[in-house]
Amino acid sequence: MSEVQDTVESQETVDTRGDERIELLRADANNDGKTDVWVVDTDGDGKADLFQFDTTGDGTVDVTMVDRDEDGKPEEVVDGDGGHPPVA
């Protein structure tokens, strides 16, 4: 029996501290030449509050975490880009 993957992407959105997208870090964690991790400042204070991960290696965001109070503990974790897609 073959396993069928769910191809429907989540449309969940997350609220962030601001409306900016200042990428503090982009990383290629598995050396495939594509970004796998995005660390973003959304309010211009120089501190990361949005973290996104490509866990499948397809170049798109699979998991988004938001740390609205910037205490190092995410308040919300959702599937997909959380309404904040990376700029290509």
Side-chain angles (χ1 to χ4, degrees):
M1 180 186 283
S2 67
E3 192 174 315
V4 177
Q5 287 187 331
D6 186 359
T7 58
V8 176
E9 290 189 33
S10 172
Q11 298 301 316
E12 292 179 276
T13 60
V14 294
D15 291 327
T16 57
R17 292 175 58 92
D19 296 328
E20 298 179 64
R21 185 180 179 92
I22 304 164
E23 291 188 356
L24 303 175
L25 174 74
R26 280 182 162 214
D28 176 8
N30 62 0
N31 288 327
D32 67 354
K34 294 184 272 186
T35 302
D36 303 306
V37 179
W38 296 263
V39 179
V40 180
D41 171 16
T42 65
D43 63 354
D45 68 355
K47 298 177 186 174
D49 48 72
L50 182 71
F51 305 85
Q52 298 178 305
F53 307 91
D54 172 9
T55 60
T56 61
D58 65 358
T60 61
V61 177
D62 299 307
V63 177
T64 296
M65 299 181 345
V66 64
D67 182 9
R68 281 185 288 275
D69 57 8
E70 296 176 337
D71 67 352
K73 299 174 189 166
E75 280 73 46
E76 195 169 359
V77 178
V78 298
D79 290 333
D81 64 22
H84 303 276
V87 179

